[in-house]
């Protein structure tokens, strides 16, 4: 909105370049993994436990059925091993230079002051967003441990097959068993049905809805959709998909579509990561990717913050990327224009 005014002075500036931030928690987590990879085998386990103590609660998905790194650190061990063997980079990216948007490019006078104010606001709140997600999930491992213990007891009672089935029972069903011993011989059938339903629901694209008391305001304007979901898009045209330009730069490479973090080890260095969304726990994986495309996300979504910190092009809020792009497709990701072009290798 601010850049659209007096476009001549804003030449070369995009929302992504304005939002390039400072060193935040996501990059601190990546450097901690670098230290683990650089350590001797004797020290590796201790450093990994220290990493898990600070960052292991971060979730790959807000679905409590999905394990955290504390529950299953196997993917982290794989990332550490690949960094040690392949020298995978995890160093500070140029995007971390704090003064990467010179004041002169923001113009002078009243409009320049407005742009500088927006720049400070954006960098501050993108950091708050990063920290909020970090602290919001601190209780996730504790919560999951409680549910899994309940699942273990239900298995012992011959009501479920495995501990993890507990995540497919409702609160009313579980509280009925805990408080009154009420159970249902059909719970196994219900779990199977709900597992299938969950897989089907994961392929849906829900509408972008934010409660009225949680919307984001800037100078009296509601920018919730822009900040969290990306710019409003028209129809995708031909071999080009459109989304929100959240991290500047352009990159052409092969796509790797990943639906679950359990499959993340398939991502190879230099590929374009195509995902539904990026949560804090995905951050270490982004050191392998040379660009990111996501169905969900806007300028202040966590994936955007991380991509800018690593200095890799990113387009978020594409909505249908994971369904229209296949692993191995050649993509050109333009993080300035907010486009993803599909094309064969020349």
């Amino acid at each position: 909105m601010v850049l659209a005014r007096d476009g001549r002075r804003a030449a070369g500036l995009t929302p992504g370049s304005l939002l390039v931030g400072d060193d935040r928690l996501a990059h601190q987590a990546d450097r901690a993994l670098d230290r683990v990879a650089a350590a001797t085998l004797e020290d590796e386990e201790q450093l990994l436990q220290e990493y898990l103590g600070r960052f292991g609660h971060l979730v790959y998905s807000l679905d409590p059925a999905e394990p955290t790194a504390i529950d299953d650190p196997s993917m982290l061990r794989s990332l550490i091993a690949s960094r040690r063997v392949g020298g995978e980079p995890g160093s500070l990216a140029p995007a971390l230079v704090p003064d990467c948007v010179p004041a002169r490019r923001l113009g002078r006078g009243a409009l320049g002051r407005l742009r500088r104010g927006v720049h400070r606001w954006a960098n501050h709140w993108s950091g708050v967003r990063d920290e909020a997600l970090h602290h919001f999930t601190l209780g996730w491992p504790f919560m999951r441990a409680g549910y899994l213990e309940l699942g273990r007891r239900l298995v012992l009672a011959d009501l479920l097959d495995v501990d993890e089935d507990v995540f497919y029972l409702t609160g009313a069903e579980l509280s009925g068993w805990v408080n009154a011993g009420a159970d249902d011989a059909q719970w196994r059938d219900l779990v199977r049905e709900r597992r299938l339903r969950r897989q089907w629901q994961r392929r849906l694209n829900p509408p972008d809805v934010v409660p009225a008391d949680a919307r984001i305001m800037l100078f009296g304007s509601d920018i919730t959709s822009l900040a969290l979901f990306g710019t409003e898009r028209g129809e995708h045209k031909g071999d080009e998909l459109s989304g929100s330009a959240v991290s500047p730069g352009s990159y052409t490479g092969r796509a790797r579509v990943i639906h679950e973090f359990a499959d993340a080890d398939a991502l190879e260095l230099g590929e374009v990561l195509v995902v539904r969304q990026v949560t804090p726990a995905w951050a270490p994986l982004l050191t392998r990717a040379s660009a990111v495309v996501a169905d969900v996300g806007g300028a202040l979504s966590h994936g955007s913050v991380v991509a800018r910190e690593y200095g890799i092009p990113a387009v978020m809020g594409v909505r249908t990327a994971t369904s229209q792009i296949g692993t191995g497709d050649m993509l050109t990701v333009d993080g300035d224009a907010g486009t993803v072009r599909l094309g064969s290798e020349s």
Side-chain angles (χ1 to χ4, degrees):
M1 178 178 65
V2 176
L3 289 178
R5 299 178 58 186
D6 197 357
R8 178 180 56 82
R9 289 187 183 180
L13 287 179
T14 64
S17 64
L18 278 174
L19 285 165
V20 170
D22 300 325
D23 187 15
R24 306 201 196 283
L25 285 167
H27 212 281
Q28 292 170 26
D30 189 61
R31 286 203 305 274
L33 277 185
D34 273 350
R35 287 193 291 273
V36 180
T40 63
L41 293 178
E42 292 76 13
D43 295 334
E44 177 182 323
E45 189 61 29
Q46 178 183 343
L47 289 173
L48 178 57
Q49 292 306 314
E50 291 176 1
Y51 174 92
L52 291 173
R54 187 179 181 194
F55 300 107
H57 66 280
L58 298 176
V59 299
Y60 304 119
S61 164
L62 290 177
D63 185 342
E66 295 286 342
T68 65
I70 288 179
D71 299 312
D72 181 9
S74 59
M75 182 53 62
L76 285 178
R77 294 184 188 279
S78 175
L79 288 171
I80 291 167
S82 65
R83 291 188 186 199
R84 177 178 291 118
V85 173
E88 194 170 301
S91 57
L92 287 172
L96 289 173
V97 178
D99 192 24
C100 54
V101 181
R104 58 182 174 79
R105 295 178 63 193
L106 296 173
R108 299 179 179 177
L111 185 57
R113 288 193 295 273
L114 174 61
R115 287 185 177 138
R116 284 190 288 275
V118 171
H119 185 217
R120 288 192 299 271
W121 179 91
N123 275 283
H124 169 74
W125 287 107
S126 64
V128 170
R129 168 75 168 167
D130 192 33
E131 293 183 9
L133 284 171
H134 177 91
H135 296 295
F136 173 70
T137 57
L138 276 171
W140 231 255
F142 178 79
M143 176 186 69
R144 277 183 47 83
Y147 274 106
L148 289 171
E149 173 59 24
L150 183 55
R152 185 187 69 84
R153 299 183 185 190
L154 288 168
V155 171
L156 291 175
D158 199 30
L159 294 171
L160 296 178
D161 292 325
V162 294
D163 301 355
E164 290 78 7
D165 286 348
V166 70
F167 295 112
Y168 296 90
L169 297 178
T170 67
E173 289 164 347
L174 291 173
S175 63
W177 184 77
V178 170
N179 296 322
D183 58 54
D184 191 331
Q186 304 301 313
W187 274 359
R188 284 186 171 88
D189 293 334
L190 283 174
V191 166
R192 282 191 288 269
E193 176 188 331
R194 290 167 182 173
R195 279 185 181 274
L196 291 173
R197 187 189 309 164
R198 175 173 176 258
Q199 293 303 317
W200 172 75
Q201 290 174 334
R202 288 167 72 111
R203 296 193 295 268
L204 301 177
N205 287 313
D208 300 334
V209 178
V210 176
D213 60 353
R215 302 190 72 82
I216 300 173
M217 307 298 293
L218 174 64
F219 305 133
S221 299
D222 188 335
I223 64 165
T224 307
S225 180
L226 174 64
L228 301 182
F229 307 119
T231 56
E232 294 186 6
R233 295 160 296 277
E235 295 292 328
H236 296 318
K237 298 180 180 179
D239 61 355
E240 186 173 276
L241 309 179
S242 63
S244 186
V246 299
S247 185
S250 179
Y251 180 77
T252 299
R254 292 197 177 277
R256 175 69 61 177
V257 183
I258 295 179
H259 296 282
E260 297 187 15
F261 197 83
D263 304 321
D265 201 36
L267 179 68
E268 297 182 4
L269 192 64
E271 290 184 324
V272 177
L273 177 62
V274 182
V275 292
R276 171 69 179 163
Q277 60 186 351
V278 180
T279 61
W282 288 72
L285 190 65
L286 266 62
T287 59
R288 289 187 183 179
S290 291
V292 181
V293 178
D295 289 342
V296 178
L300 294 184
S301 64
H302 187 81
S304 304
V305 175
V306 175
R308 289 191 293 268
E309 289 176 2
Y310 290 170
I312 59 176
V315 178
M316 304 283 176
V318 181
R319 296 180 185 269
T320 58
T322 54
S323 60
Q324 292 191 251
I325 297 172
T327 293
D329 290 348
M330 289 298 296
L331 305 178
T332 296
V333 181
D334 190 330
D336 293 297
T339 60
V340 181
R341 190 173 69 253
L342 288 73
S344 59
E345 188 175 14
S346 59

